[in-house]
Amino acid sequence: MSDLTNFIATNADWFYLVGAILFVLTLRGLSSPKTAIRGNRFGMAAMAIAVITTFFLAEGPILWMIVGAMVLGAVVGMWKARTVAMTQMPETVALMHSFVGLAAVAIALATVLHTEEAYSTITRLELFIGCFIGAITFSASFFAFGKLAAKSWAKTLVGGWVKPVQAILFIAMIGFGAVYFMTDSLPAFYAMTVLAIIFGWMWIAPIGGGDMPVVVSLLNSFSGWAAAGIGFTLGNSMLIIAGSLVGSSGAILSYIMCKAMNRSLLNVLFGGMGTTAAAAGGDDGAPKNYKAGSAEDAGFLMSNASNVVIVPGYGMAQGRAQNAVKELYELLKEEGVNVRFAIHPVAGRMPGHMNVLLAEADVPYDDILEMDEINSDFASTDVVLVIGANDVVNPSAKEDPTSPIFGMPILEVTKAQTVMVIKRSMSTGYAGLDNSLFYMDKTMMIFGDAKKMVEEMVRSINGGGH
Amino acid sequence: MIATVLAAAPAGAAMSSTPFVAIFTVFVLAIFVGYYVVWGVTPALHTPLMAVTNALSSIVIVGAMLQTVTIDGSVFTPTSLLGAFAVFLASINIFGGFAVTERMLSMFKPKVKKAPVVDADNGGDA
């Protein structure tokens, strides 16, 4: 063993400490877009330190196998990172969560198979917890990936049988885990892992697409706890620290998302979807009238306004309309209109989804405001343009105590003078709720594909402005 | 026999003799650090936050590498193969996660205070 090898191996914990500090700074950097890239680089450095240190620490490492697996993973990862479209970020993130979960399962199994010796009680407990968290993260995230990517196999499960089956799976999983814990029985460990994988799937399958921001955040948190679990098994504080940082990050995101929907986490996870409450709110059977308008009218109105707020929702992502929206934004700016964007925390399919899409289209972040920053400005806004958002602007959340979304904080667009809504049809949003905003006198509905309609608005302003 | 297995295994590294309460302390304190740091993250960067935390949790690669070892002189064991598979998965996330975060973050730009350029053609001469 050379001096260097020896030095690194005996001081490994110090190197891991440096890595852990850099990990904290990585997250710290994300407090502002100005420092975020530097933070990301700290994260890369920390990872490099951790991996290199571990090379020296491992006893009898199979170098070609490790390096080969790394190179293969790097190629796949870099290729995916370069080619993925920003509209596909939610499903990509979910898929990556499932990889962390599967890796944790593989490591736990590898550890269990490593020696004939019985592990200590505490190690068995750690392995058992680490493995089932990893297994649930894996299958639940994989389902979330399928759901977000609209794969045909990711079907939402409905029916009264789902909850009892979930409960039985969960109890059986814990039961086999306990058997492993007490008797060190390998078959029990395998059974627990398989049950955890099935449970993870069954757990997320009943949850609808609109609740995916919460689910993705929660699985983010889970992937962190899975890493921390492996850290406990190895007695490695860097893994524990990184895992806890990720775990609390995901937990906070889930909390923010739940709060923005005025629902508890338990309600999202075990309450099924809001679809059961469909049409319960506000539908008194009376025919309701709405005004439909054209994109040209909308373009005219906006170019003559002095304050315009654009509210993007999932419809913008679905219609890939962000670049057209950016064009509209620039054009209105040139006409001297004060244009800003209002983002609801649960707009889209994951936290921050809209911000990334608008950033991709080159909209400066200073003009993109959060709900709390912009809500007081709607009263002085001439025109609000809602693009493919529904529940986040539904006034029933404030006014109708019988509405299932009553109490949910919304963007208060009804305070503006005119509201224009781009929507495919009058059908209800994912929550299955009618939106009284659409029937207000000040509201004009523009039916059609988000991208096409925004492009038409741009054309009408360009053509009719002079 | 058993002694060699234990010696060849990264038993010292894998099964630390550190008292459980010591690493549990680290765990609890790290959660507190995470709590305060993450509340400081601006909501606009929540998607990059998820991508980078994905890369961060792939620190499990350390555990995977410690299992990709020869056992009793044999290279192909269930343990080493599972370890290598985990190294592969974690590497996808590490490289992919940091790269996609970098790509997203480079898109976030502040407002540029530019002269009222209308025609690109006329902007150059003056």
Side-chain angles (χ1 to χ4, degrees):
Chain A
M1 208 179 246
S2 78
D3 282 349
L4 178 70
T5 313
N6 210 4
F7 174 77
I8 294 179
T10 47
N11 291 292
D13 284 336
W14 292 102
F15 289 104
Y16 285 143
L17 173 64
V18 174
I21 293 169
L22 289 173
F23 274 168
V24 175
L25 293 176
T26 306
L27 298 187
R28 182 79 199 124
L30 288 172
S31 57
S32 148
K34 291 187 200 86
T35 53
I37 290 197
R38 192 180 61 201
N40 196 39
R41 304 256 161 92
F42 282 147
M44 295 180 197
M47 194 59 76
I49 291 173
V51 168
I52 293 168
T53 306
T54 309
F55 265 119
F56 290 100
L57 198 63
E59 289 172 49
I62 310 165
L63 281 179
W64 66 266
M65 213 187 251
I66 297 176
V67 174
M70 264 183 205
V71 170
L72 220 59
V75 169
V76 175
M78 298 294 277
W79 168 73
K80 191 74 190 152
R82 253 160 232 245
T83 52
V84 66
M86 286 299 130
T87 42
Q88 295 172 317
M89 276 318 289
E91 56 259 41
T92 309
V93 165
L95 187 63
M96 292 172 79
H97 288 153
S98 86
F99 288 170
V100 177
L102 190 56
V105 172
I107 295 163
L109 285 175
T111 311
V112 169
L113 292 168
H114 197 138
T115 165
E116 305 287 300
E117 276 296 278
Y119 284 120
S120 70
T121 331
I122 195 100
T123 307
R124 286 210 299 269
L125 182 67
E126 289 159 2
L127 278 169
F128 146 49
I129 295 175
C131 188
F132 91 68
I133 294 181
I136 292 174
T137 310
F138 161 58
S139 58
S141 303
F142 198 77
F143 184 86
F145 155 73
K147 187 97 198 160
L148 290 163
K151 303 271 186 213
S152 55
W153 47 261
K155 284 192 184 64
T156 305
L157 287 179
V158 279
W161 57 276
V162 175
K163 272 179 214 176
V165 171
Q166 282 178 343
I168 292 166
L169 281 169
F170 187 79
I171 293 166
M173 174 184 84
I174 298 290
F176 278 110
V179 170
Y180 166 74
F181 174 59
M182 288 183 296
T183 66
D184 200 17
S185 144
L186 276 182
F189 194 84
Y190 299 145
M192 177 199 76
T193 309
V194 172
L195 285 171
I197 290 174
I198 303 171
F199 172 76
W201 186 280
M202 293 281 299
W203 182 40
I204 300 303
I207 302 175
D211 285 338
M212 280 299 144
V214 180
V215 171
V216 175
S217 314
L218 191 75
L219 292 170
N220 182 237
S221 176
F222 264 56
S223 72
W225 303 130
I230 301 293
F232 273 108
T233 314
L234 303 175
N236 182 315
S237 20
M238 187 177 180
L239 259 76
I240 295 174
I241 293 170
S244 317
L245 291 176
V246 177
S248 28
S249 164
I252 289 172
L253 289 178
S254 322
Y255 170 80
I256 294 173
M257 296 296 111
C258 283
K259 212 168 152 246
M261 297 198 296
N262 191 38
R263 294 172 68 186
S264 71
L265 192 57
L266 288 177
N267 179 270
V268 173
L269 294 179
F270 299 107
M273 245 309 282
T275 43
T276 43
D283 198 355
D284 46 13
K288 288 188 278 191
N289 298 313
Y290 54 85
K291 275 190 301 199
S294 70
E296 288 88 73
D297 302 340
F300 176 77
L301 271 174
M302 280 191 288
S303 58
N304 287 297
S306 49
N307 279 303
V308 170
V309 173
I310 301 177
V311 178
Y314 183 56
M316 183 181 84
Q318 216 178 15
R320 295 168 188 268
Q322 64 269 29
N323 289 309
V325 170
K326 148 86 187 323
E327 241 183 286
L328 178 67
Y329 159 85
E330 295 234 299
L331 198 58
L332 289 172
K333 281 251 145 175
E334 275 171 31
E335 302 268 323
V337 183
N338 177 25
V339 196
R340 288 170 306 167
F341 290 85
I343 312 284
H344 192 279
V346 292
R349 285 291 186 263
M350 74 183 296
H353 193 183
M354 294 298 121
N355 303 77
V356 168
L357 291 182
L358 292 172
E360 184 193 20
D362 262 341
V363 177
Y365 57 73
D366 329 47
D367 279 339
I368 302 172
L369 301 173
E370 303 300 323
M371 180 169 66
D372 298 335
E373 297 169 318
I374 194 127
N375 254 348
S376 54
D377 290 3
F378 279 117
S380 56
T381 301
D382 304 309
V383 180
V384 171
L385 175 64
V386 179
I387 305 174
N390 191 346
D391 296 332
V392 298
V393 292
N394 192 339
S396 311
K398 278 186 84 96
E399 293 154 5
D400 178 8
T402 64
S403 168
I405 59 165
F406 182 69
M408 169 175 157
I410 54 160
L411 290 163
E412 294 167 4
V413 298
T414 51
K415 289 185 180 162
Q417 269 179 357
T418 307
V419 182
M420 297 185 301
V421 182
I422 303 181
K423 212 171 167 310
R424 287 172 173 275
S425 69
M426 279 310 279
S427 67
T428 52
Y430 72 79
L433 295 174
D434 207 357
N435 192 337
S436 51
L437 171 71
F438 303 158
Y439 308 103
M440 294 174 90
D441 280 340
K442 61 169 71 168
T443 307
M444 182 167 98
M445 303 298 294
I446 302 159
F447 295 111
D449 172 70
K451 190 175 170 192
K452 222 188 263 165
M453 289 304 115
V454 174
E455 280 168 353
E456 273 181 38
M457 289 174 193
V458 169
R459 230 171 292 141
S460 86
I461 297 172
N462 260 335
H466 302 285
Chain B
M1 236 342 239
I2 290 166
T4 24
V5 171
L6 282 179
M15 265 31 89
S16 167
S17 55
T18 322
F20 180 73
V21 66
I23 52 174
F24 198 76
T25 307
V26 171
F27 175 64
V28 174
L29 292 180
I31 293 175
F32 274 94
V33 173
Y35 179 85
Y36 287 106
V37 172
V38 172
W39 273 114
V41 174
T42 171
L45 295 181
H46 277 163
T47 297
L49 172 68
M50 296 192 92
V52 82
T53 50
N54 234 315
L56 255 52
S57 48
S58 303
I59 185 73
V60 293
I61 195 169
V62 168
M65 289 169 72
L66 291 175
Q67 297 298 346
T68 317
V69 291
T70 47
I71 300 174
D72 273 341
S74 37
V75 171
F76 295 99
T77 62
T79 293
S80 70
L81 292 176
L82 282 165
F85 178 56
V87 168
F88 167 68
L89 289 174
S91 302
I92 297 181
N93 270 8
I94 291 172
F95 287 93
F98 283 124
V100 87
T101 307
E102 187 93 2
R103 195 177 138 207
M104 276 192 273
L105 291 175
S106 62
M107 292 170 180
F108 281 85
K109 291 184 201 84
K111 223 184 302 196
V112 212
K113 296 265 178 280
K114 57 179 175 189
V117 183
V118 182
D119 290 307
D121 315 2
N122 304 337
D125 29 56

